[in-house]
Amino acid sequence: MSSHADHTTVIVGAGPAGLTAALGLARYRHPVIVVDSPRAPRNSASAGVHGHIGMDGVTPAEFRERAWRELSRYTTVERLEGDADSVSSAPGGGFRVALGGGETVEARTVLLATGVVDVHPADVDGFAECWGRSVIHCPFCLGEENAGRRWATVADNAELAGLSAVAFRAWSEDTIAICQESMPGLETARATARSRRGDVVTGTVRRLHHREGSLYGIELADGRVLERQTLVWTPRQRQQPVVQRAAEELKLTVDDAGFVGVDASQCTSVPGLYAAGDLTSRWKQSVTASTAAGAAAADAIHMSALLGAVHH
């Protein structure tokens, strides 16, 4: 067991939010430890990162490689490879981050930037092979790469089903929504979709027909096959285990879906504990949004440390 209590901040997670925060704090000359999991990042299936100026189209691996190369120039940044098991209050104040190998790291401030876990449907054959290619979770992220194809989207509410024909028009002129027959508002959704040359189909997806991840048919439970080339499916998400445990132990404020509540400075309901990136919002999950949140957290952490030094 070792302690790094002199470190201003421990960042748990080395995605866009965590790496951006590390760079911001390095520029402020704050000592920082970044706990970087050896497991494949959540976006590893993607062929490219999109929508982030200066980095559009780079692979996730290249994005991380560039970030670490830039951070290596700063002597105040330390990379600690491993999985964080828990974040708890330290006896002398601040926080203690426990790692899988038994080591602990203590710091006055912690930033959670782990991202989330996508829960893929276990009963849909072919989902994993198509994920990140022709099965996409976000039109902004991969819509351009799937433009001009026949789209479908799995919708769990009538508003989303009806609007999909409109919302996805920029990328596809042929979009249908797949819904459960028992969904309230189904007929209204169908009428809305058809008014925009779309449609709503009822059924349960059971199999994706594809060629090396390139979708060409969606098979429903009743045997029907819909000829589609792109499927928009936003899977259910859950927090990383270390965040779940921290939320329970430290009594963090979370919303009904389990996302960690933060204020404008990215601070959680526990002073000194910050969170940034996908773990704080279901609908603001992009590289650009995460980097912005990481930068905001770095600024807030710097100001908090500065004000604390002045008051002492």
Side-chain angles (χ1 to χ4, degrees), residues 254-259:
V254 298
D255 66 15
D256 292 341
F259 291 92

Side-chain angles (χ1 to χ4, degrees), residues 31-50:
V32 179
I33 286 180
V34 182
V35 181
D36 184 9
S37 173
R39 291 176 290 115
R42 175 179 165 222
N43 66 349
S44 59
S46 176
V49 171
H50 298 287

Side-chain angles (χ1 to χ4, degrees), residues 47 64 100 118 141 284:
R64 285 165 51 84
D118 289 316
C141 298
K284 294 182 180 179

Side-chain angles (χ1 to χ4, degrees), residues 2-311:
S2 67
S3 173
H4 298 264
D6 57 321
H7 279 78
T8 302
T9 303
V10 170
I11 299 174
V12 182
L19 294 171
T20 301
L23 179 59
L25 289 169
R27 298 291 299 173
Y28 286 126
R29 293 196 158 187
H30 282 264
V32 179
I33 286 180
V34 182
V35 181
D36 184 9
S37 173
R39 291 176 290 115
R42 175 179 165 222
N43 66 349
S44 59
S46 176
V49 171
H50 298 287
H52 195 63
I53 193 69
M55 302 284 274
D56 190 54
V58 303
T59 66
E62 185 180 359
F63 184 99
R64 285 165 51 84
E65 182 183 344
R66 286 190 192 182
W68 279 117
R69 188 164 61 244
E70 293 169 3
L71 287 170
S72 69
R73 299 197 293 264
Y74 295 88
T75 58
T76 59
V77 178
E78 179 183 350
R79 182 181 188 178
L80 195 59
E81 293 192 71
D83 285 312
D85 279 349
S86 66
V87 178
S88 58
S89 298
F95 301 94
R96 174 176 291 165
V97 180
L99 306 179
E103 184 179 11
T104 63
V105 184
E106 292 186 4
R108 292 186 295 276
T109 307
V110 169
L111 170 63
L112 298 173
T114 61
V116 292
V117 178
D118 289 316
V119 182
H120 293 176
D123 57 349
V124 178
D125 183 39
F127 187 95
E129 292 83 352
C130 296
W131 177 248
R133 298 183 59 186
S134 53
V135 174
I136 64 177
H137 76 291
C138 166
F140 177 79
C141 298
L142 289 168
E144 180 67 24
E145 288 64 43
N146 283 269
R149 297 155 64 96
R150 304 178 72 186
W151 284 31
T153 181
V154 172
D156 58 6
N157 66 78
E159 183 178 9
L160 178 60
L163 289 177
S164 62
V166 179
F168 301 154
R169 181 65 60 188
W171 300 281
S172 173
E173 295 184 357
D174 185 354
T175 300
I176 62 172
I178 303 172
C179 309
Q180 295 299 313
E181 191 167 1
S182 59
M183 185 182 71
L186 177 64
E187 290 308 317
T188 300
R190 181 175 283 124
T192 301
R194 287 178 176 175
S195 71
R196 297 286 181 167
R197 301 193 305 277
D199 204 355
V200 172
V201 176
T202 57
T204 300
V205 177
R206 281 290 176 256
R207 181 183 179 190
L208 301 181
H209 297 265
H210 65 94
R211 299 182 184 89
E212 298 181 351
S214 182
L215 180 70
Y216 64 87
I218 300 171
E219 184 175 332
L220 304 181
D222 61 8
R224 285 176 294 160
V225 177
L226 310 174
E227 294 183 4
R228 299 283 118 177
Q229 299 163 308
T230 297
L231 175 61
V232 182
W233 190 324
T234 304
R236 186 171 61 84
Q237 295 179 338
R238 59 176 173 81
Q239 296 288 3
Q240 293 282 359
V242 63
V243 176
Q244 290 178 325
R245 286 191 283 269
E248 293 173 2
E249 180 166 344
L250 299 174
K251 309 303 180 187
L252 297 182
T253 298
V254 298
D255 66 15
D256 292 341
F259 291 92
V260 177
V262 294
D263 62 17
S265 70
Q266 302 299 135
C267 190
T268 70
S269 54
V270 176
L273 181 61
Y274 295 76
D278 294 352
L279 76 164
T280 67
S281 173
R282 182 68 186 88
W283 304 112
K284 294 182 180 179
Q285 296 189 358
S286 70
V287 170
T288 301
S290 292
T291 55
D299 287 343
I301 291 167
H302 167 65
M303 287 304 300
S304 178
L306 185 62
L307 292 173
V310 170
H311 291 158

